[in-house]
Amino acid sequence: MTILVTGGAGYIGAHVVLALLDAGEDVVVLDDLSTGDRASLPGSARLVVGDVGDRDLVGRVLDEAGIAEIVHLAAKVIVPVSVVDPLGYYEANTGKTRALLEVAVAAGVSRLVFSSTAAVYGVPDTHLVSEDHVPAPINPYGRSKLMSEWMIADAARAHGLSFVILRYFNVAGADPHGRAGQSTPDATHLVKVACQTALGQRPHLAIYGNDFGTPDGTGIRDYVHVSDLADAHRAALGHLREGGESLVLNAGYGHGVSVREVIDSVRRVSGVDIPVMSAPRRAGDPDALIADASRLRQRFAWSPRHDDLDQIIAQALSWERRLMGS
Ligand code: UD1
């Protein structure tokens, strides 16, 4: 059985591919390499360079490889860019998901795992967010993913597809064996920026807001190790293969840390007293956003193996060092 992973050369996608290959699965990656990196894929993964919205290409790949399962991650993911280019985001994330669904249904694909985001919740009125919280995204990125969720559920109902939608919280860290990591040059993620600052690649780290309603005033997020997240995709396919019902699940650990706690960890692990400065809040940043992740743990044979902030930071730092050396 061959699994198609769209966006498999990206940061999260490459870790999903590793998790599947490590579990003995056969994988074909479809990636346009617009942000993905061929080098992040192990030799045993077949790569088709192309667009997930290209119906002819996708149809051929599904046919030739006899694919019955898709893990769909290909997307544009930068929230502020989605605000200035909403139509580009709706096309890349929603339009192309629709195209993929059409081809997948025609080819008889029976299982789909979809990469969604906590951004579908917007700015929730509670810190711990369960899947029952009514989605209210506040930017085109979140809306483009929520619309995709709805399309998937509708298409599944009509065409006998089963699916798991994973709503990612804050993904961080790198493969513990150093095989993959976050390679995007201008990434804005806190963990990556803090690690680059520790390694002297940035002059300082800006703390966006220190007057949030949290114990130390800085924003709290649920940072999930990318390899644990990747493993949740493997578990999702396992659940569907056993005939499990379609699900929408938060993917996080269920606890959060503040920006200051992340900085303390980077200082502890790197031994560098990274320079920080205060900066205004970013628009739309909630005080705290933590996954109620109980459903993920209950439904799947999944338990995190890397739920440790210092480990996440140590592996993110190793990856940054590796990037500097290459
Ligand atoms: C992240 C995702 C976003 C997703 C959202 C869902 C990234 C880049 N973004 O957003 O796609 O939709 O989760 O919840 O992964 N911070 C600083 N200084 C910095 C960078 C960040 O203080 O230089 C703070 C932010 O204000 C925030 C926290 O660190 O409190 C995390 O920010 P960031 O890593 O950008 O992720 P989110 O904005 O939470």
Side-chain angles (χ1 to χ4, degrees):
M1 196 152 21
T2 304
I3 304 163
L4 176 68
V5 180
T6 75
Y11 169 48
I12 299 170
H15 289 82
V16 169
V17 170
L18 287 172
L20 293 173
L21 292 175
D22 288 349
E25 301 285 357
D26 187 41
V27 172
V28 174
V29 170
L30 175 65
D31 199 299
D32 66 3
L33 299 181
S34 56
T35 56
D37 179 8
R38 188 189 293 266
S40 62
L41 286 173
S44 45
R46 278 172 286 161
L47 171 66
V48 177
V49 179
D51 187 343
V52 69
D54 181 339
R55 289 175 172 78
D56 291 340
L57 174 68
V58 175
R60 254 194 333 270
V61 171
L62 295 180
D63 228 37
E64 281 166 15
I67 284 165
E69 299 176 329
I70 300 177
V71 181
H72 176 36
L73 299 102
K76 291 179 184 280
V77 298
I78 304 170
V79 172
V81 178
S82 79
V83 176
V84 294
D85 181 25
L87 299 180
Y89 269 64
Y90 289 128
E91 171 57 13
N93 295 356
T94 317
K96 291 183 183 180
T97 296
R98 189 203 163 281
L100 177 68
L101 283 169
E102 192 176 294
V103 181
V105 164
V109 168
S110 45
R111 293 177 281 276
L112 175 75
V113 178
F114 178 65
S115 136
S116 189
T117 169
V120 300
Y121 296 117
V123 184
D125 51 13
T126 134
H127 289 176
L128 193 68
V129 190
S130 91
E131 296 86 350
D132 300 328
H133 200 92
V134 178
I138 59 162
N139 50 56
Y141 171 64
R143 283 191 276 269
S144 72
K145 287 287 187 174
L146 183 59
M147 286 193 278
S148 300
E149 289 192 8
W150 290 339
M151 279 193 306
I152 290 167
D154 287 341
R157 217 170 287 124
H159 302 292
L161 191 70
S162 63
F163 66 85
V164 171
I165 289 168
L166 295 173
R167 291 178 174 163
Y168 306 163
F169 281 64
N170 287 62
V171 188
D175 175 54
H177 308 292
R179 297 172 294 178
Q182 168 61 276
S183 302
T184 320
D186 301 317
T188 55
H189 306 69
L190 175 65
V191 169
K192 175 138 181 129
V193 172
C195 290
Q196 289 178 326
T197 309
L199 296 176
Q201 293 177 287
R202 294 178 188 247
H204 59 256
L205 173 77
I207 299 179
Y208 297 136
N210 51 24
D211 58 352
F212 286 102
T214 60
D216 68 18
T218 65
I220 291 180
R221 297 289 182 277
D222 186 338
Y223 294 91
V224 55
H225 192 294
V226 64
S227 298
D228 280 334
L229 178 73
D231 196 47
H233 295 71
R234 182 204 51 76
L237 281 176
H239 163 86
L240 295 175
R241 280 178 191 173
E242 284 164 15
E245 61 174 328
S246 294
L247 294 168
V248 179
L249 296 172
N250 286 341
Y253 286 145
H255 54 81
V257 291
S258 71
V259 174
R260 282 204 188 283
E261 287 171 309
V262 170
I263 294 168
D264 287 346
S265 172
V266 173
R267 286 179 171 153
R268 202 161 46 236
V269 173
S270 67
V272 177
D273 187 13
I274 60 171
V276 298
M277 54 173 278
S278 295
R281 290 182 183 204
R282 297 183 308 192
D285 260 354
D287 291 356
L289 195 59
I290 300 167
D292 177 341
S294 44
R295 213 170 278 175
L296 176 65
R297 292 178 196 241
Q298 282 160 11
R299 295 305 188 102
F300 294 170
W302 176 86
S303 55
R305 285 177 297 159
H306 312 285
D307 180 2
D308 178 282
L309 181 60
D310 282 6
Q311 187 195 136
I312 289 175
I313 299 295
Q315 288 160 0
L317 269 169
S318 307
W319 180 256
E320 286 305 320
R321 286 200 189 93
R322 189 174 288 236
L323 287 180
M324 285 169 76
S326 63

